Structure formats: structure tokens, C-alpha cells
Amino acid sequence: AQHRNMAALSGERWRECLPEHEMIKKLQERLHLESQGTSRRIAKNLTFCLNGDFFIWDNVESVFYTTNLRQINSEEEPDSRYQTLLCINPPLFEVCQVLLSPTQYHVALIGQRGATVLELPQRWGKKSEFEGGRMEINCKTIPVAERFFTSSTSVTLRQAAWFPSETEEPHLVLLTSDNTIRFYNLKEPQTPARVLPVSQSEEETSVHTRGRSYAASLGEIAVAFDFGPLVDVPRQLARQRLSDDLLVYPLYILYENGETFLSYTSLTHTTLGKLLGPLPMYPAAEDNYGYDACAVLCLPCVPNILVIATETGMLYHCVVLEAEEEEDGGSVERWSRGSETVPSLYVFECVELELTLKLPAGEEEDIVESDFTCPIRLHRDPLCQHRYHCTHEAGVHSLGLAWFNKLHKFLQSDEEDKDSLQELAAEQRCIVEHILCTRPLTSSLPAPVRGFWIVSDLSLGATMICITSTYECLLLPLLSSIRPPSPPLLCSRVGTLEGSGNSPLRGLAEDSFEQHIRNILARTSTNPAGDKDTSTPTPECLQLLSRATQVFREEYILKLDLAREEMQRRVKLLTGQKNKQLEDLALCREERKSLREAAERLADKYEDAKYRQEAIMNRMKRVLGSLRNQLPVLSDSEKDMKKELQTINDQLRHLDNTITQVNMKTEYQTKQMDKGLLTPARARITLNAHQRKLHSKLITSLLLLIRLHYKFHSFAPFSKMCPFHTVMRRRCADSSAFHFNPFK
């Protein structure tokens, strides 16, 4: 337990040490040196993480401060060391956003008047620090489109992003206020590799200040863009003699009037890039789903979800549906810039963010609606595809699309009923959490966040890092209710597959009840974390306290009481079911006992029946044998036995004759040997050792055969396996083998 506690403390150490780190304190001390321009009202993003390293940009010194969170989280005593990345050619503009490239080798420094790319130094050493752990490091910087922004003083940079390809050369994509998107290669940063005009009318392609002012008044100015995941070449573009396996990135371009255009982009094929749109939005709305659009985000899930944000705090979750040539072909041709079909956007739901807190004007008066507006930035969540975050001048919101899984199942099915899709949208809404509130009232001073990042390193824990306007580092938990559930372990699946006694209905009931409790505890509003440096008058502070108390009462205490009552009702029901199951279990035990006794009786009867059956079978065999013996005709087996006995008798007679001949030859040889002994005049026969050995073996074999003949002669004709018959078959087949001539 002590080791587990130490591990937990070490896992939380970096969360405690980072807000008190030396580089954070240094930024807080130099806060008064920053410029007091209009950029202080804009929400910025000056932080990012890479392989456990936390980076934060200092606008006063134009440098990056970085420290390793894993080293802070180690069991050793954490230190406040940090490295400083200096720019060889620092940007001349105020940086509002930093973007890490897909290859993670470059960082783009983005401002309203330009863009600069910083090349990250190499790592080496024991702790894999930049340049072995040097405190200050000079980094190469590449100004992008510096000549263009210097010569065009009226043009501002609206948005910048990296081209999402990880295998090609890094390209920086810039959207400027002259309704043009430019692609810049880092090898040629002053000359755009590709230019994509995004003006809605052909007359505006030539640069005219008055034309741009008219377009701005009508809301026909592109304000944001975002890349979607890789897709195949559309059918209308495949006719341009392109390869079928070509993959392109869809580029969604949002205009201030809420219209969305589409362009398919590829770095290898510059012929692509024709502007298509506007994309039709269903169901149709009179105000075209708001105005003052400011941000767009394409969630990388299937199907693609396009999030459109407006400055009034409205968020539209649109499902990108593929185009069909037969469906609505006339209207698409009438509204698009050509005859090509374009995807459509189905507005699944609309969400209104509470930018500033809504307070009641009196005890019995309604909530006063606020007309506060501000630009909103949208951020993807690296841990969950259908979750994203919003940062703005008044704080941070986190949104989770809890209905995405049901929508995915609906689109995979063959249902085409639009009413059921609308019922699905009304059944389960997305989850919105007000994480941080830096401007609780409209009259409060603006305090936009300066940094936002999601730590996706699981060894450090999923954490949201927020840097406030006063460089206070807030580490906040993520929205855990929208996180996808972990898959079951393999060891837990084995018991289910083998039928270990777990009822599938029980698992279904547990899942449904758990989801029911989650639905009860789901909150429609929360109390966000506030900025402690925000100055608020006393009466409004009392209203804020009343609101927080009301939210706690309605969204926490009352829902917890409902959940407790539901759980008590469930416990009562389960207790009754348990008692009924205990009664059924007692009955089952009695039935098992009676069945066991019946089984014993049946076993005895079975043994008795088996014994009687064997006795009857033996009697039947004897009866059949006697019947067979009384038949006048021999059977086939008896005929074969008779034939074999006759053959054995003939062979024995032959062997008897052979033995008689052997005996006669033995007598003859004995007489001859006796004559030789009596007649000394004859020459003696001398045998060598080999001949004596052969003669000895022969005589021994003859004697053995004779002994076997007299032993088995009485019953050999009736024995099928007679040893004498076997030996004689092997050795006495040829009678000449026993002929012996000593004079040869």
C-alpha cells in the first residue's frame, strides 16, 4: 500500500510543481512589460507539449521556455531547470498562436501581421534534452511571406495551419483578409507554392479595396478553414485523368455569413482546388443558421462532423453527407459555381455557449440575456475523436458528442426515415462543460486565456493545461463522461465464451441501469473555475454566489437525491428478486435430492436388466450352436478346417518318410565308420576345424528332430501349431540337406 501511495504521489507531482515553476514565475513577473494593445482582448494559444516537454512562448523576449514534465514527475527531487530557445531572427509581430507541425520538427509562430517558423533543435544526452541540456539554444527561424506582409499593409492574417500531410514537405497554409489562401513551402518561404482565391464572385478576383469592403459588408469574407481527413478523389474530379488511387484532403472554408465552401487539395496535383459550394445545409433555416461565423473544425471521425462557431456563442454540429447526383441536382447546380455535385451538411444540433454567466436581475425576475460576443477558437481533443474544446475571451468550454455512437449505428443501418434521425437528435444532446470562466460578467475586464493544451501522454495522465491572462497555470480534469469505454480484458471474455454461469441478461441489465444513473446525473450547466484576479463589484458577486448555489442545488444535490432514490428502488427490487431466487434455490435442491434417489433406483434396475440380458444372450448362443451342429451340411469354416487337417496329415507322412531315410543313412554311416576302425590299412579321414563344426551342428539338428518327432507324433495331426511341423517345414523341405557322404 505504501508503494502504491508513493506511485500515486509521483504521478501527481508534476501537477503540483508546474504552477510554481520558475519559468511560470518569470512570465508573471514580466507581465507588466507586455504591450497594452487590442491583442490583449484576443484569446491566444502560446503553449504546446511534445514528448513530455512543455513549451510556452514569451512575447516580451520572443523566446520559448521549455521543461520536461516527466523529469518533474520522476521520483527524484524535482528541480526548476528549464531551457530557453532563442530565435536567430525573432518575429517583428506579436505572436498570438503557436502551431506544431505534423512532423514535429517545426513550430509556426502566428500573428495578425505575419508568420515565422522555428526549427526545433536536436536532442541528445542521458535525459534526451535539447542539445544535451544547454540552458540557452539558438534556433533557426524562417520568416514566411515576409515580403508580402511588408508590401501589403492593409492585409492581415486571419488563420494559419499546417498542411496535414506527414510524408510530404512541410507546407504552411495562410488565409489572409484579401480572400486568398496561400500554400508556402519552407524551402521557398517568400513565394507561395500555390494560391487559392476564395472569393465568392468572379469580379473580386482582382484586388480592389472597395470590392473587398462591399464583400465584408455582405459577410462574403472567408474567416476560417480546416482540413478534413484523407478521402478518395470525387467522381467529378476523377474525370480529369487522375489516378484512381489518389487521395486528397478536403478543405472546408467558412465565410462570415455562415456559408461553407469546399475545395479538394493535394500538393502533388495543382490542378485540383476548384472552389465548390456553398454546401447546402439541412434542414433549411430562415437565417441560414446565424451570422458572424468565426471558426470551423472538422472532427476526424466517420462520418465527418463539421463544427461551425459564431461570435454569439452558437455552435452548429453538422454531419457531412456525401453527395448523390440524382438528389437535389437542380438546386446544387443553381447555387454552386459549376455543375459538380457537392456534399451536404445536416445540422444535427445547435448548442449555445454561456460565454458570460447569466444572472437574474431580481428575486422573481427572469434571467437577463447578454449581448456579449467574442471570437471563439476550436481545438481538437487528441484522446477522443468526438470531443473538442472552445477557448475565447471569457474562458474555456469542453463539449462531448454523446450521440455520436448512436448516429454511427443509424447511418450504418438501412433506415432512411428523417423523422427518426430528428428523434435521435432530440433524444440525447451533447454534453457541455463550462471549464473556466475568466469574464463572469459583461462589465468585467477582458481576461482571455493565453495558452491551452491537452496532455495526451498517458504516463502523465490526461490533463487540460490552461494559461490565464495573468500567466496562472491551471491544470483541470478532462470531461471523462464522454471518453470511450475501455475494451474488456481477454481473461474476462473467456468465462463468458465458455458459459461460466454469467447470464447475458444480467450484463444487459447492469449496463442499462448504469446508463440510467448516468442520464440522471447528467448536468446541463456547471460552475466553472473562475479567475481569482478578476475584479467584480459586491452586488454582482452576491449574484454570482446565488447562481453558483442554485447550480449546485439543482445540478448536483437534487440529481444526487434522484439517483439515490432510484438506487434505493433498485436495491428493493433486487432484494425481492434475491428472496424469490433463494426460495427457488431451496426447491431446486429438494428436486435434486429426489432426482438423485430416482437415479439410484434406475441404476439398480439397469444393472439387473443388464445381467438378465447377458444370460439370455448366452442361452441364445448355445441354442444357435446346437442348431448349427444338427445341420447335415458342413459350414465354410468347417470345410476349411477339414482341408487344413488333411494337408497337415499329408505333410506328416512325408516327414515320416524323410525321418526313416535319415535313420537308414545314419545306420549305414555307422556301419561304415565301424568298418573303417577295424581296417587299419585304410587311410584315416582327417577333418579340419570348419568341417568338424559343420558336422557337429548337423548331428545336433538331426538328434533334435528325432526327439521332436517322437514327442509330438501322437497328437501332431490335430495340432495346427506343432513345433515339429514348423521345424521340419523349415529344415527338412529338401531331403538332400541331410545326406552325408564322408568319402566325398
Side-chain angles (χ1 to χ4, degrees):
Q2 184 177 2
H3 291 292
R4 288 195 298 268
N5 294 334
M6 290 296 295
L9 291 176
S10 63
E12 299 290 338
R13 180 173 297 156
W14 75 273
R15 296 187 179 93
E16 299 176 359
C17 298
L18 184 60
E20 303 296 331
H21 202 274
E22 289 296 330
M23 65 179 185
I24 301 296
K25 293 182 179 179
K26 183 176 181 180
L27 290 172
Q28 294 174 354
E29 294 173 358
R30 303 173 64 88
L31 178 62
H32 64 282
L33 299 177
E34 292 188 358
S35 61
Q36 304 295 326
T38 57
S39 60
R40 296 198 63 177
R41 301 174 58 90
I42 303 175
K44 302 178 182 180
N45 189 12
L46 305 179
T47 60
F48 71 93
C49 289
L50 175 61
N51 298 328
D53 289 325
F54 176 72
F55 294 79
I56 186 168
W57 174 260
D58 184 2
N59 264 322
V60 177
E61 297 289 339
S62 295
V63 295
F64 263 121
Y65 300 134
T66 176
T67 185
N68 191 276
L69 300 180
R70 295 176 182 171
Q71 294 181 11
I72 299 177
N73 203 35
S74 63
E75 296 182 359
E76 301 176 358
E77 186 67 23
D79 54 3
S80 298
R81 293 178 59 254
Y82 61 91
Q83 293 179 282
T84 304
L85 305 184
L86 306 175
C87 296
I88 296 178
N89 185 11
L92 302 178
F93 51 86
E94 184 179 3
V95 177
C96 298
Q97 186 181 12
V98 294
L99 298 174
L100 181 63
S101 67
T103 58
Q104 299 183 351
Y105 295 136
H106 302 85
V107 179
L109 310 176
I110 309 301
Q112 294 183 348
R113 288 292 303 159
T116 299
V117 175
L118 181 142
E119 184 175 347
L120 293 176
Q122 295 183 354
R123 302 171 182 265
W124 64 73
K126 179 180 178 180
K127 298 181 180 180
S128 185
E129 295 178 326
F130 291 112
E131 294 191 0
R134 294 176 54 188
M135 300 302 295
E136 294 185 354
I137 304 171
N138 286 325
C139 299
K140 178 183 177 181
T141 54
I142 306 173
V144 178
E146 183 180 20
R147 199 175 304 159
F148 170 75
F149 285 104
T150 303
S151 59
S152 303
T153 56
S154 61
V155 177
T156 58
L157 180 59
R158 292 187 178 273
Q159 186 180 350
W162 288 99
F163 193 79
S165 176
E166 299 181 5
T167 58
E168 298 174 297
E169 291 291 334
H171 283 67
L172 192 63
V173 185
L174 305 180
L175 171 62
T176 53
S177 58
D178 58 349
N179 265 8
T180 306
I181 295 179
R182 296 174 175 86
F183 296 73
Y184 287 92
N185 191 346
L186 296 186
K187 292 183 178 180
E188 298 180 1
Q190 302 304 326
T191 304
R194 180 183 170 191
V195 178
L196 176 62
V198 292
S199 299
Q200 295 186 11
S201 59
E202 297 293 339
E203 292 78 6
E204 294 181 25
T205 54
S206 60
V207 180
H208 295 293
T209 306
R210 181 174 299 178
R212 288 203 303 269
S213 63
Y214 289 151
S217 62
L218 297 176
E220 296 179 356
I221 296 294
V223 293
F225 68 91
D226 193 23
F227 290 94
L230 276 173
V231 295
D232 296 327
V233 180
R235 286 173 293 181
Q236 62 267 22
L237 299 180
R239 302 169 186 170
Q240 302 179 5
R241 298 180 180 179
L242 299 174
S243 58
D244 297 335
D245 57 348
L246 177 63
L247 299 177
V248 294
Y249 288 95
L251 177 61
Y252 298 97
I253 305 169
L254 178 68
Y255 287 79
E256 192 177 6
N257 57 7
E259 295 181 345
T260 306
F261 282 70
L262 175 64
S263 176
Y264 295 98
T265 59
S266 174
L267 296 179
T268 57
H269 294 77
T270 57
T271 56
L272 299 174
K274 184 178 180 180
L275 202 61
L276 306 176
L279 305 185
M281 301 178 69
Y282 302 103
E286 295 181 357
D287 58 347
N288 196 25
Y289 294 98
Y291 54 92
D292 291 340
C294 59
V296 63
L297 177 66
C298 182
L299 299 180
C301 49
V302 179
N304 294 341
I305 305 296
L306 204 66
V307 182
I308 299 176
T310 64
E311 293 184 359
T312 58
M314 293 297 298
L315 298 175
Y316 302 98
H317 297 152
C318 308
V319 182
V320 181
L321 303 178
E322 294 297 330
E324 296 183 4
E325 295 182 356
E326 298 82 7
E327 183 181 357
D328 203 9
S331 62
V332 171
E333 292 181 2
R334 182 169 59 254
W335 288 100
S336 64
R337 300 185 61 180
S339 60
E340 297 86 354
T341 57
V342 294
S344 58
L345 303 179
Y346 183 84
V347 183
F348 194 81
E349 68 174 350
C350 305
V351 180
E352 182 179 2
L353 298 181
E354 188 180 7
L355 299 180
T356 57
L357 302 181
K358 299 178 181 179
L359 302 177
E363 296 181 357
E364 298 181 356
E365 297 181 12
D366 297 334
I367 295 177
V368 178
E369 297 293 337
S370 173
D371 56 352
F372 175 75
T373 61
C374 65
I376 298 176
R377 290 180 181 267
L378 303 178
H379 306 267
R380 292 187 181 88
D381 194 310
L383 298 176
C384 185
Q385 292 183 347
H386 44 276
R387 179 174 61 188
Y388 66 97
H389 310 275
C390 306
T391 59
H392 43 81
E393 181 184 337
V396 179
H397 284 79
S398 180
L399 289 91
L401 308 184
W403 43 262
F404 176 77
N405 293 328
K406 292 185 178 181
L407 174 65
H408 185 66
K409 294 179 181 179
F410 175 81
L411 295 178
Q412 284 184 340
S413 62
D414 297 333
E415 298 183 15
E416 297 182 357
D417 188 9
K418 295 183 179 180
D419 295 335
S420 60
L421 186 60
Q422 295 178 356
E423 293 177 359
L424 177 62
E427 177 184 355
Q428 190 172 12
R429 308 285 293 179
C430 71
I431 301 177
V432 183
E433 278 200 351
H434 199 169
I435 302 296
L436 177 64
C437 180
T438 59
R439 190 173 183 177
L441 303 174
T442 307
S443 58
S444 302
L445 295 177
V449 293
R450 294 179 180 268
F452 176 85
W453 190 260
I454 300 296
V455 179
S456 59
D457 192 348
L458 298 181
S459 62
L460 299 174
T463 309
M464 177 188 299
I465 300 179
C466 294
I467 306 297
T468 64
S469 59
T470 57
Y471 286 105
E472 180 184 359
C473 183
L474 300 179
L475 305 178
L476 306 173
L478 286 177
L479 181 62
S480 58
S481 58
I482 199 62
R483 188 181 305 169
S486 301
L489 299 176
L490 294 178
C491 59
S492 63
R493 293 184 179 180
V494 173
T496 305
L497 296 177
E498 294 179 355
S500 60
N502 294 329
S503 172
L505 296 178
R506 182 183 304 172
L508 180 61
E510 290 178 357
D511 294 342
S512 60
F513 181 70
E514 180 181 356
Q515 186 61 37
H516 179 58
I517 296 298
R518 288 180 181 274
N519 295 336
I520 292 177
L521 296 177
R523 299 186 296 270
T524 57
S525 62
T526 57
N527 282 323
D531 191 354
K532 61 184 181 181
D533 294 334
T534 303
S535 58
T536 307
T538 303
E540 295 176 350
C541 286
L542 180 59
Q543 293 179 355
L544 290 176
L545 179 60
S546 302
R547 178 194 180 278
T549 305
Q550 182 179 359
V551 169
F552 279 125
R553 181 183 299 109
E554 296 178 355
E555 299 295 334
Y556 290 85
I557 298 177
L558 293 181
K559 292 187 177 182
L560 286 174
D561 290 339
L562 292 176
R564 178 176 55 84
E565 294 176 359
E566 191 67 23
M567 294 176 68
Q568 289 178 351
R569 189 182 302 110
R570 181 77 171 183
V571 168
K572 184 178 180 180
L573 176 63
L574 292 177
T575 303
Q577 292 181 356
K578 178 184 176 181
N579 296 331
K580 181 63 172 61
Q581 290 177 358
L582 290 176
E583 296 176 359
D584 295 341
L585 183 61
L587 293 176
C588 289
R589 289 175 178 173
E590 295 179 358
E591 291 181 0
R592 183 182 63 179
K593 183 178 180 180
S594 61
L595 289 175
R596 184 176 297 171
E597 295 175 354
E600 293 177 356
R601 292 193 299 269
L602 291 176
D604 296 338
K605 292 182 179 179
Y606 171 74
E607 293 294 336
D608 188 14
K610 183 179 179 181
Y611 173 75
R612 293 180 181 179
Q613 183 182 9
E614 291 178 355
I616 294 173
M617 291 295 295
N618 293 332
R619 291 180 59 187
M620 292 181 63
K621 288 180 181 179
R622 289 194 297 270
V623 170
L624 290 176
S626 62
L627 291 176
R628 175 66 65 183
N629 294 333
Q630 294 177 4
L631 291 177
V633 182
L634 297 176
S635 62
D636 294 338
S637 60
E638 292 175 346
K639 291 179 181 180
D640 295 339
M641 185 64 181
K642 180 181 179 183
K643 186 182 299 184
E644 186 176 358
L645 292 175
Q646 291 176 355
T647 304
I648 293 174
N649 193 17
D650 295 340
Q651 291 177 355
L652 289 176
R653 283 198 299 270
H654 176 68
L655 290 175
D656 191 14
N657 296 332
T658 304
I659 293 172
T660 302
Q661 292 179 5
V662 170
N663 292 332
M664 293 175 62
K665 290 180 181 180
T666 303
E667 293 177 358
Y668 173 76
Q669 291 174 358
T670 304
K671 292 178 180 180
Q672 293 296 328
M673 292 177 65
D674 294 339
K675 290 180 180 181
L677 293 175
L678 295 175
T679 308
R682 285 192 173 185
R684 294 184 62 183
I685 300 175
T686 58
L687 300 175
N688 55 20
H690 181 66
Q691 291 176 342
R692 286 196 301 269
K693 185 177 181 181
L694 291 177
H695 289 173
S696 176
K697 289 184 177 180
L698 180 60
I699 293 171
T700 304
S701 301
L702 290 175
L703 293 176
L704 179 62
L705 291 174
I706 293 170
R707 190 181 297 112
L708 292 173
H709 171 71
Y710 286 107
K711 184 178 182 180
F712 295 98
H713 188 269
S714 60
F715 59 90
F718 304 96
S719 178
K720 189 174 181 180
M721 300 301 293
C722 179
F724 180 76
H725 168 254
T726 305
V727 173
M728 293 306 296
R729 180 183 295 176
R730 293 179 180 176
R731 299 188 179 184
C732 302
D734 189 3
S735 60
S736 60
F738 298 93
H739 178 71
F740 176 73
N741 189 357
F743 302 99
K744 188 174 179 179

